[in-house]
Amino acid sequence: MRYVNLGILAHVDAGKTSLTERLLFTTGVISRMGSVDAGNTQTDSLELERQRGITIKAAVVSFVLDDLTVNLIDTPGHPDFIAEVERVLSVLDGAVLVISAVEGVQPQTRVLMRALQRLRIPTLIFINKIDRGGAQPVVRLIELLAERDEALLAEYITDESALSWECLHKKLATQTRQALVHPIFFGSAITGAGVDSLITGITTLLPTDDGNTHSLTRGMVFKIERGAAGEKLAYVRMFGGTLRVREQVPFGRGKTGRITAISLFERGSATRSATVAAGQIGKIAGLAEVQIGDTIGTQQHADERHFFAPPTLETLIVPRRPAERTALHAALTQLAEQDPLINLRRDELRQELFVSLYGEVQKEVLQETLRNEYNLEVTFHETTVICVERPVGSGSALELLGKAANPFLATVGLRVEVGPPNSGVNFRLDDELSAIPIYIYKSGELFAQAMEETVQETLRQGLYGWQVTDCMVTLTHSGYTSPASTARDFRLLTPLVLMAALHEAETVVCEPIHRFQLELPADSLGPLLAALARLRAVPQSPLPRGASYEIEGLIPAAQVHALQQQLPGLSH
């Protein structure tokens, strides 16, 4: 059996979930098509999805085409839930990008296509809603393929009529699998027009996984959810080997666990199975500490790159009933397992809870989820932009064991310096090994590990209350008294020394900046430039494009919503 793990992506309301429903109906998985408006589609199973008519969580279904099993992952189209799309991209063999023939290429369409191209994911494009008024189809083929194939170009120039459809289709499949070209299909998810051609494209143009069960066992977790009994369930795409029920497996960073149950996505919804093998997607129970992004089986360095911009908004969330503060923290901790980018943060001094967001719709969904699933009523304070702090210089501090000002049985000296861009917080030991007691190295790892963990936790709030990043922290001095000193002494002393060093280094608060691209009528240029200036945007020189202009530039994240509100009026 061959497998293809296929993502369905689109701008919201382009018809992505309807196309998923049509594919399931056409391949015999379901006997009747559901409707997004009626709230009875296969992949929008959450009550909130059915109420709102949008996809919130990625969902997996499957169907079989001859000897090919297609694991189809339906993803959210709303930009507030782009994090769900990001987690799916790393497990795909190919993708179908859905575009509405009426609305055309929309902002989210561009964002998704850029990510697919950066990752070189083979992609088919389905122009949906051709049955609607205003649809505008376009075609192309031989010239495009010849641009990337010198042999084909020579044949084309010599005798175009000698090129057979079989030859062109073979070249098309090769270049599609290399993500050099993206075949376009036209149709309608509602009527079914063009869907058979799309299915043929899926089976003949995209790369497949042949299910090599003899290779090293390796899978990747791309989704976490909780079962009916509250147990953690991990969605795993298998890249090699086989996982079995009751097997003890390594996962994440040095963790192990025993698989207690496996559900397999084949021929429709998930069914119980004893194994999940290469090419397949399964749900695994039993790994209580597993996290999104973990590899299971053979370990390799995790790719922690982000394909989309991280959330730039943050809000304070409080329970309406003060006694439920602990319950709210527990609920948000579970939700953060499913969506790590909400970045649950607690101010230990004020005992306040903060979550990161992409937008107001995500906030509304979070509020309804807490109400419906956890029976918690919450309110949100005003949404603010997430800033970060970066050190601007170097600073050092030292507290010596035995000095009157130091009540702890430890010596800690730290130096804070500017780190490389996008490097986060890095902790290291000074090159002068003589300054570090040998115990730190031999039995060592205890004290050094305690200090590193404390450094990471302390720098979640810098001098101005924002997380510190792009920072190098060096342990310059360390001392203890045996056997009285414990890791607790180092954990309690490290924050005091670290903040003193950070004060000497000083930090600057940096706000997030977005890149924008605008296309607008020529007569809107003057008013738009004035509006951009008021919003602290930095545009590049406008480029004429016929009767319109194209402008790219930078704008503070705090001003993006205001720009979006003004654009319809400015551009007519």
Side-chain angles (χ1 to χ4, degrees):
M1 179 67 75
R2 297 180 301 132
Y3 300 90
V4 59
N5 292 284
L6 183 71
I8 304 289
L9 293 78
H11 185 102
V12 66
D13 290 335
K16 167 183 51 57
T17 300
S18 296
L19 177 60
T20 298
E21 200 75 5
R22 172 60 66 176
L23 288 169
L24 295 176
F25 176 75
T26 303
T27 56
V29 173
I30 56 176
S31 58
R32 179 182 178 186
M33 277 190 62
S35 163
V36 173
D37 292 336
N40 58 357
T41 61
Q42 293 294 302
T43 52
D44 285 348
S45 58
L46 297 178
E47 186 61 31
L48 281 176
E49 293 177 318
R50 292 171 172 170
Q51 291 174 2
R52 289 175 170 266
I54 61 173
T55 301
I56 296 172
K57 297 288 185 181
V60 182
V61 290
S62 69
F63 53 88
V64 176
L65 302 169
D66 297 326
D67 69 333
L68 179 67
T69 294
V70 179
N71 293 318
L72 189 152
I73 309 178
D74 185 21
T75 63
H78 197 287
D80 278 16
F81 307 105
I82 195 69
E84 285 287 309
V85 182
E86 178 168 83
R87 290 187 277 274
V88 167
L89 291 181
S90 58
V91 301
L92 297 183
D93 298 309
V96 173
L97 181 64
V98 183
I99 301 175
S100 168
V102 180
E103 287 81 11
V105 175
Q106 297 170 280
Q108 190 76 346
T109 315
R110 296 178 185 270
V111 171
L112 294 170
M113 193 64 202
R114 286 175 186 145
L116 291 167
Q117 289 177 318
R118 282 201 305 273
L119 296 171
R120 300 189 68 82
I121 295 176
T123 301
L124 309 180
I125 296 175
F126 185 74
I127 308 296
N128 191 26
K129 303 182 183 180
I130 61 169
D131 55 316
R132 295 258 305 272
Q136 299 178 359
V138 295
V139 296
R140 60 180 177 139
L141 178 58
I142 296 178
E143 291 86 351
L144 182 71
L145 295 175
E147 287 179 9
R148 296 163 176 81
D149 189 317
E150 292 186 4
L152 180 63
L153 178 60
E155 291 183 62
Y156 176 53
I157 293 174
T158 303
D159 184 5
E160 178 183 351
S161 62
L163 293 173
S164 66
W165 167 248
E166 290 76 13
C167 172
L168 288 176
H169 191 273
K170 184 177 180 180
K171 298 287 187 181
L172 179 62
T174 299
Q175 293 192 21
T176 301
R177 290 166 187 159
Q178 295 172 346
L180 296 175
V181 298
H182 311 288
I184 297 177
F185 298 83
F186 297 90
S188 168
I190 297 300
T191 67
V195 173
D196 286 339
S197 296
L198 176 63
I199 289 175
T200 300
I202 292 171
T203 59
T204 62
L205 298 177
L206 294 178
T208 59
D209 188 322
D210 295 328
N212 183 5
T213 58
H214 300 295
S215 61
L216 293 174
T217 299
R218 186 174 73 88
M220 176 173 286
V221 177
F222 65 93
K223 178 178 177 178
I224 297 287
E225 67 180 18
R226 292 277 175 170
E231 74 279 19
K232 187 182 286 189
L233 302 174
Y235 283 64
V236 180
R237 155 71 196 270
M238 293 300 296
F239 289 95
T242 303
L243 294 176
R244 297 173 174 82
V245 174
R246 293 185 294 278
E247 181 180 3
Q248 188 84 12
V249 295
F251 64 91
R253 297 185 177 180
K255 301 173 183 176
T256 60
R258 188 177 302 279
I259 297 174
T260 58
I262 295 175
S263 295
L264 197 62
F265 289 95
E266 278 196 330
R267 292 177 172 83
S269 58
T271 55
R272 282 297 181 100
S273 172
T275 63
V276 57
Q280 297 177 325
I281 290 178
K283 274 196 296 190
I284 293 179
L287 308 182
E289 296 182 272
V290 73
Q291 297 177 338
I292 288 175
D294 281 353
T295 54
I296 297 180
T298 303
Q299 297 299 295
Q300 67 174 31
H301 177 69
D303 187 352
E304 297 181 353
R305 293 177 304 156
H306 291 297
F307 310 130
F308 305 106
T312 56
L313 303 175
E314 182 179 73
T315 185
L316 170 64
I317 179 172
V318 296
R320 292 184 182 173
R321 296 180 285 269
E324 294 178 339
R325 190 181 299 272
T326 300
L328 175 58
H329 183 262
L332 290 173
T333 299
Q334 283 198 4
L335 293 176
E337 294 173 350
Q338 303 169 29
D339 183 3
L341 289 185
I342 72 172
N343 192 29
L344 175 62
R345 180 171 70 87
R346 178 161 64 179
D347 185 319
E348 297 296 340
L349 184 62
R350 299 184 179 87
Q351 292 297 298
E352 293 176 333
L353 298 172
F354 296 85
V355 291
S356 300
L357 301 167
Y358 276 102
E360 294 301 311
V361 173
Q362 186 184 9
K363 182 196 290 185
E364 295 169 6
V365 167
L366 181 59
Q367 187 174 37
E368 292 178 40
T369 300
L370 290 168
R371 177 188 302 120
N372 297 340
E373 297 184 16
Y374 296 91
N375 194 31
L376 292 171
E377 294 289 343
V378 300
T379 56
F380 295 93
H381 287 212
E382 183 180 359
T383 302
T384 57
V385 171
I386 300 173
C387 297
V388 296
E389 294 182 41
R390 291 189 172 96
V392 295
S394 177
S396 300
L398 171 65
E399 287 290 341
L400 297 171
L401 189 155
K403 295 294 183 180
N406 180 7
F408 306 108
L409 298 179
T411 289
V412 173
L414 296 171
R415 183 173 65 248
V416 173
E417 300 169 284
V418 178
N422 303 314
S423 62
V425 175
N426 287 289
F427 179 82
R428 66 178 183 181
L429 305 183
D430 193 273
D431 292 335
E432 297 293 330
L433 300 183
S434 59
I436 311 297
I438 197 69
Y439 179 75
I440 294 291
Y441 291 99
K442 291 190 174 174
S443 311
E445 298 294 329
L446 270 183
F447 291 174
Q449 180 181 343
M451 286 185 277
E452 180 173 6
E453 292 173 352
T454 305
V455 164
Q456 296 288 345
E457 180 64 28
T458 301
L459 290 183
R460 294 191 71 180
Q461 286 190 313
L463 303 181
Y464 301 97
W466 298 106
Q467 184 166 350
V468 180
T469 188
D470 300 345
C471 175
M472 179 66 73
V473 179
T474 304
L475 180 64
T476 58
H477 297 81
S478 179
Y480 66 97
T481 178
S482 181
S485 297
T486 66
R488 181 174 182 273
D489 290 295
F490 287 90
R491 290 187 185 278
L492 293 175
L493 182 57
T494 295
L496 304 179
V497 178
L498 178 59
M499 292 309 291
L502 193 64
H503 270 285
E504 185 175 295
E506 299 184 340
T507 64
V508 61
V509 176
C510 303
E511 64 178 321
I513 301 293
H514 281 295
R515 185 169 58 246
F516 68 84
Q517 181 184 54
L518 300 174
E519 297 174 9
L520 67 154
D523 61 352
S524 303
L525 181 60
L528 177 69
L529 290 175
L532 291 174
R534 291 192 297 269
L535 296 174
R536 297 189 291 128
V538 182
Q540 299 177 8
S541 298
L543 298 175
R545 294 283 188 265
S548 64
Y549 278 92
E550 182 179 295
I551 302 178
E552 294 186 4
L554 303 174
I555 185 171
Q559 304 297 338
V560 170
H561 183 63
L563 176 60
Q564 291 173 330
Q565 288 182 314
Q566 295 180 36
L567 275 178
L570 292 170
S571 62
H572 318 304

